[in-house]
Amino acid sequence: PGTMLNALRLHLSLVRFFWNDPCFRAPMLVIWVASFGGALHAPVTPFFYLQVGATTVDIGIIGFMISISSLILCPLYGWFIDKHSAFTVMLVSCFFCAFGCLVRGMAQTTVGLFIGGGILGLGAGPLWIVVLAFLCSNSDREQRASVVSGYIVQVATLRILGKCLYPPWNYLLEDIMGMTQTLPRYRVHMGICTAFCFFGCIELLRSRPALAQAKVSLSGPPKLSNPEDEESTHISTRLIPFSLIAFTCVIQAIAVTVGGVLWPLFLKDHFGWGATEYAYVLFLSSLVSTGAVAMYPVIDKEMGKFQTANVTTIVAFASSIASFLVFNKFAHVAVMCIYMAAACFLEACIKSIASLYMPQQLQGRSFGFMATLTGTGEVIANLGGTYTYNLTKGGALPLLIVSGFLVVCLGLFGVVGTWYNLHSHNSPPPTPLDESEEECGSDGDVTSPVLAKGFDMHGTVHFRQASIASNTS
């Protein structure tokens, strides 16, 4: 209980930090409103497509268009963040997300849905990666685990809240406001996300001066050797361990996607459960997964990054084998919730470790690269998972294959962890930062000290002095 309370304090402090800091408030507001608004209409989206006239194949094509756009654009957006301006990329992503939702919600034919989906792909997918890369580019290395975990938890919490509020929101439209016709009511549902994202665009424009100053200054070429020291070895030395850790994004995405795609099919085929039962199970799984990720900073501090990743992978491996072999419905749900929580927890482990192997001026590109690998894993899982499930007529083969991938993931963590242990003894400790309480940013194109706030396990906010350069967009 004490550990859980500390984790809760930590995340509440992180929310207050994002809200109070002028450099981070606007990007996080964009993510908060976009996550909530997107979840609010998520239950109705496929039914809206069908009402407009789309087939199941058309729905798959729209989703494929959005995914492919993210695969291509995330590295490009990441490069632009590193080289030019995070503000421009966030504004473009948020605008395309809003405009794509508007076009899709006003679509009269399937062609309109395709156009809206194409525009949506330019912003909806990359937006979450862009903001996370921005946060990691402008946060203390020691607090990277807290930032990554807090970001994932906040997004997941708002998505759960949005889905929970769909029934009363639909009741308000249908029974109180009298919108009994299905398609017009669905258009209102789809359009609400546009309002949230346009609000995000306005907030970004209003906060442009603060965002223009949130750019980490570079003093000389990047020199890195291990996650605790950015001053000892050339960047090329980091590429191998970073690439190995980044490759685990493919495995993690396969694990999460296979579980998410095949679980409702398994429940239907083996237990006869329908959409209502699955909705309750999915809600329970989301709560367990979000709670698990919320504990990551505390567990990371107690066990260390690599040991935490190894234990998480072992838990995912064991539960992946057991989940489809347990045919008692309640035991199956319990084991599957553990599996999904471990797979989601693994995302925080991977991104936290990988972000430490790249200097701050390469965070955008590194997160863009990881997003592409994650999308690749999702495509593989969607195609291969359903194929193997049908091949075995509802058998356990898909998750048994995933368990094999998780063994590979465990081996990669072992290799990188060994590399780190070997090199960490040859590097001087990082130079401590002086404590400071100066305000964010300064005028002109000069380097200035800003607040880089950290958090201990009791949720206490600390202040460190970091070097930030003004960067107008």
Side-chain angles (χ1 to χ4, degrees):
T3 303
M4 296 177 65
L5 184 59
N6 289 338
L8 178 60
R9 289 172 177 169
L10 170 69
H11 286 284
L12 290 176
S13 295
L14 195 60
V15 172
R16 288 195 297 269
F17 165 52
F18 286 150
W19 176 259
N20 292 327
D21 194 292
C23 298
F24 294 146
R25 181 185 300 159
M28 288 310 301
L29 268 177
V30 169
I31 287 300
W32 290 338
V33 298
S35 299
F36 178 78
L40 195 59
H41 74 73
V44 83
T45 301
F47 300 100
F48 169 74
Y49 288 157
L50 295 174
Q51 282 286 321
V52 174
T55 64
T56 53
V57 175
D58 294 331
I59 295 175
I61 293 174
I62 295 171
F64 179 77
M65 290 170 60
I66 296 174
S67 299
I68 288 296
S69 297
S70 299
L71 287 176
I72 296 173
L73 290 176
C74 279
L76 296 177
Y77 284 177
W79 173 85
F80 197 90
I81 288 177
D82 294 334
K83 287 293 186 180
H84 300 285
S85 167
F87 165 79
T88 303
V89 177
M90 286 188 285
L91 182 62
V92 168
S93 298
C94 192
F95 173 78
F96 279 128
C97 185
F99 188 58
C101 281
L102 179 64
V103 173
R104 184 178 60 174
M106 296 175 61
Q108 303 295 323
T109 64
T110 306
V111 175
L113 294 177
F114 286 145
I115 295 174
I119 298 173
L120 193 63
L122 300 176
L127 180 60
W128 278 261
I129 299 299
V130 164
V131 175
L132 180 56
F134 170 78
L135 295 177
C136 289
S137 297
N138 295 281
S139 62
D140 253 357
R141 293 173 57 78
E142 293 81 2
Q143 308 306 329
R144 208 66 59 76
S146 299
V147 170
V148 172
S149 171
Y151 183 84
I152 295 173
V153 167
Q154 290 170 32
V155 169
T157 301
L158 287 168
R159 284 176 174 172
I160 292 173
L161 180 62
K163 291 175 183 177
C164 290
L165 290 179
Y166 168 75
W169 169 237
N170 185 67
Y171 175 80
L172 174 66
L173 293 177
E174 184 175 5
D175 295 338
I176 296 181
M177 299 183 65
M179 299 187 67
T180 56
Q181 294 185 347
T182 303
L183 185 56
R185 188 172 69 254
Y186 283 177
R187 292 191 189 279
V188 174
H189 281 297
M190 301 301 292
I192 194 67
C193 186
T194 301
F196 282 119
C197 287
F198 273 130
F199 168 80
C201 291
I202 295 172
E203 183 63 24
L204 283 172
L205 290 170
R206 191 183 67 82
S207 304
R208 179 175 180 176
L211 285 171
Q213 297 179 48
K215 185 69 177 179
V216 178
S217 66
L218 309 177
S219 54
K223 298 179 179 180
L224 307 166
S225 77
N226 63 66
E228 305 302 331
D229 177 26
E230 288 196 1
E231 303 297 337
S232 54
T233 314
H234 193 269
I235 183 62
S236 59
T237 310
R238 303 308 287 279
L239 291 179
I240 293 177
F242 169 78
S243 299
L244 294 177
I245 291 295
F247 180 74
T248 61
C249 289
V250 179
I251 298 175
Q252 187 271 336
I254 291 174
V256 171
T257 306
V258 166
V261 170
L262 298 186
W263 197 10
L265 301 179
F266 186 90
L267 293 175
K268 176 179 178 296
D269 294 339
H270 292 272
F271 304 138
W273 287 5
T276 301
E277 292 84 357
Y278 179 65
Y280 289 117
V281 169
L282 184 60
F283 178 71
L284 175 63
S285 176
S286 299
L287 289 180
V288 174
S289 298
T290 303
V293 176
M295 296 294 295
Y296 174 66
V298 180
I299 298 174
D300 171 80
K301 185 176 179 65
E302 294 294 328
M303 298 177 57
K305 295 187 182 302
F306 287 104
Q307 187 174 353
T308 301
N310 289 333
V311 171
T312 304
T313 307
I314 292 172
V315 172
F317 168 79
S319 55
S320 68
I321 294 178
S323 58
F324 274 31
L325 300 179
V326 176
F327 289 96
N328 176 278
K329 60 179 69 175
F330 298 109
H332 168 79
V333 169
V335 173
M336 198 64 187
C337 284
I338 294 173
Y339 167 77
M340 293 299 292
C344 293
F345 191 94
L346 196 57
E347 178 187 3
C349 295
I350 293 169
K351 290 182 177 178
S352 176
I353 295 174
S355 71
L356 297 180
Y357 276 97
M358 285 287 114
Q360 288 176 301
Q361 74 270 29
L362 296 180
Q363 290 294 313
R365 275 167 280 191
S366 64
F367 273 93
F369 178 64
M370 287 190 286
T372 297
L373 293 178
T374 298
T376 302
E378 291 173 351
V379 172
I380 293 173
N382 276 292
L383 297 177
T386 52
Y387 175 77
T388 54
Y389 184 82
N390 292 329
L391 187 66
T392 57
K393 298 180 180 178
L397 180 60
L399 278 185
L400 291 176
I401 294 174
V402 169
S403 67
F405 285 133
L406 289 171
V407 172
V408 176
C409 185
L410 189 63
L412 293 174
F413 285 138
V415 170
V416 178
T418 302
W419 181 93
Y420 166 66
N421 291 330
L422 290 175
H423 287 75
S424 61
H425 302 294
N426 302 324
S427 305
T431 302
L433 297 172
D434 297 329
E435 292 188 0
S436 174
E437 292 191 11
E438 301 186 49
E439 293 299 326
C440 178
S442 68
D443 296 327
D445 296 328
V446 296
T447 301
S448 60
V450 302
L451 292 180
K453 303 175 182 61
F455 305 86
D456 63 16
M457 289 303 102
H458 300 287
T460 305
V461 181
H462 301 288
F463 300 93
R464 290 169 173 261
Q465 181 172 316
S467 183
I468 302 290
S470 173
N471 180 50
T472 57
S473 302

